[in-house]
């Protein structure tokens, strides 16, 4: 059995986890920084980096404690090496390297996007190749996942990521940060038909996304309401309409992505979803029915493994350890690191 410690610090969660090669999660600690950023309505990179630095040692100690092991029992250390807010990535990567160096263990600089798209292999052992819908705060793309380090980008957003659109709409409606979960909650009981919102790119070829026009349409709808504080009913109806529009567009894009994926991987039988927005229940349900209509099974990790966590980072380390793909301690953390630039 091999055991890998994973460290995640690319945005506003300080996380550490221990995962083994039999897909068991022995520890999974996530400490968010919501209180530190709340007053600013979004993540402030300098505050995030400092908060990671203050929390990281305790978060790792807690993960090792939960797993009931010492550093001597580890077979490798994996840390997110990018993409992300560079101050935070440096904190996690340097900590991971220090542990690896002190214990003579292999070090894995993990691509955060690859960690998200490999999560369905941790939770359900999905076989390559599969189609992944990655929908998070920073990314929104369809990827053909053909192996560890082997990904083909089929489509991406031409402007905002889906989570970014959720966050901006949440902010516009006074729901705080992060907007996604708040918009989903506020939409319960809302009337999705009252406001007519656009479905950007629906019916077009390919599987790119666009969300900025949708976000602007929400702003215009808000501006047309009577001045003064928004009524709870208006907020609920707007959230329901926005969420419905995102789900409609994603369902349309998914059908096209499946066709593109199938053209190259006729034996691929699974569609997976990952990233924070994959926690959204309406979106999941819509995407699942498209997958079923096309004869693909749909695998989506539990919500806490869809949002940022370190179990996915540790798992990517497990996968790379099995293939002998470790990184040197001279790895330089990267703010930008597209999946297509991963070495095989
Ligand atoms: O994957 P993630 O935790 O971090 C990134 O790598 O970006 O995704 C965070 C994003 C945020 O934009 C958040 O608003 C969104 O995921 N999100 C949701 C939900 N839960 C989180 N969006 C819609 N519905 C949700 N339930
Ligand atoms: Zn993420």
């Amino acid at each position: 059995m091999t055991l890998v410690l994973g460290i995640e610090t690319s945005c506003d969660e300080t996380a550490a986890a221990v995962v083994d090669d039999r897909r068991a999660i022995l520890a999974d600690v996530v400490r968010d920084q919501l209180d530190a950023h709340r007053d600013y309505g979004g993540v402030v990179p300098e505050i995030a980096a400092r908060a990671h630095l203050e929390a990281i040692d305790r978060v790792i100690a807690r993960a090792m404690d939960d797993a009931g092991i010492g550093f001597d029992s580890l077979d490798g250390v994996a840390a997110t090496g990018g993409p992300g807010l560079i101050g935070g990535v440096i904190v996690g990567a340097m900590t991971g390297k220090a542990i690896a160096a002190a214990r003579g263990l292999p070090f894995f600089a993990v691509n955060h996007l690859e960690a998200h798209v490999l999560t369905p292999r941790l939770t359900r052992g999905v076989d390559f190749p599969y189609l992944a819908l990655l929908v998070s705060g920073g990314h929104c793309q369809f990827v053909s996942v053909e192996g560890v380090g082997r990904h083909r980008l089929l489509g991406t957003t031409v402007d905002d990521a889906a989570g970014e659109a959720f966050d901006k709409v949440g902010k516009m409606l006074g729901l705080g940060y992060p907007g996604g979960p708040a918009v989903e909650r506020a939409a319960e009981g809302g009337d999705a038909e009252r406001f007519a919102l656009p479905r950007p790119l629906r019916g077009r070829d390919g599987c790119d996304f666009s969300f900025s026009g949708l976000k602007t349409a929400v702003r215009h709808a808000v501006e047309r309401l009577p001045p003064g504080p928004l009524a709870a009913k208006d907020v609920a109806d707007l959230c329901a309409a926005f969420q419905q529009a995102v789900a409609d567009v994603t369902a349309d894009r998914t059908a096209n992505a499946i066709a593109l994926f199938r053209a190259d991987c006729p034996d691929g039988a699974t569609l997976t979803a990952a990233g924070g927005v994959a926690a959204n229940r309406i979106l999941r349900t819509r995407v699942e029915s498209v997958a079923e209509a096309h004869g693909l099974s749909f695998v989506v990790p539990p919500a806490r493994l869809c949002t940022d966590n370190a179990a996915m980072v540790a798992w990517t380390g497990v996968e790379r350890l099995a293939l002998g793909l470790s990184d040197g301690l001279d790895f330089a953390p990267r703010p930008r690191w597209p999946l297509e630039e991963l070495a095989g």
Side-chain angles (χ1 to χ4, degrees), residues 10-13 112-113 116 134-139 162-167 177-184 243 274-281 306-309 312:
S10 67
C11 190
D12 59 343
E13 266 96 16
H112 180 88
L113 309 178
H116 274 303
L134 173 58
V135 271
S136 70
H139 297 85
E164 203 177 341
F166 267 99
D167 292 338
Y177 179 86
V183 167
E184 179 168 19
Q243 189 173 252
V277 185
N280 186 280
R281 280 163 299 164
C306 282
T307 50
D308 285 350
N309 65 88
M312 67 182 190

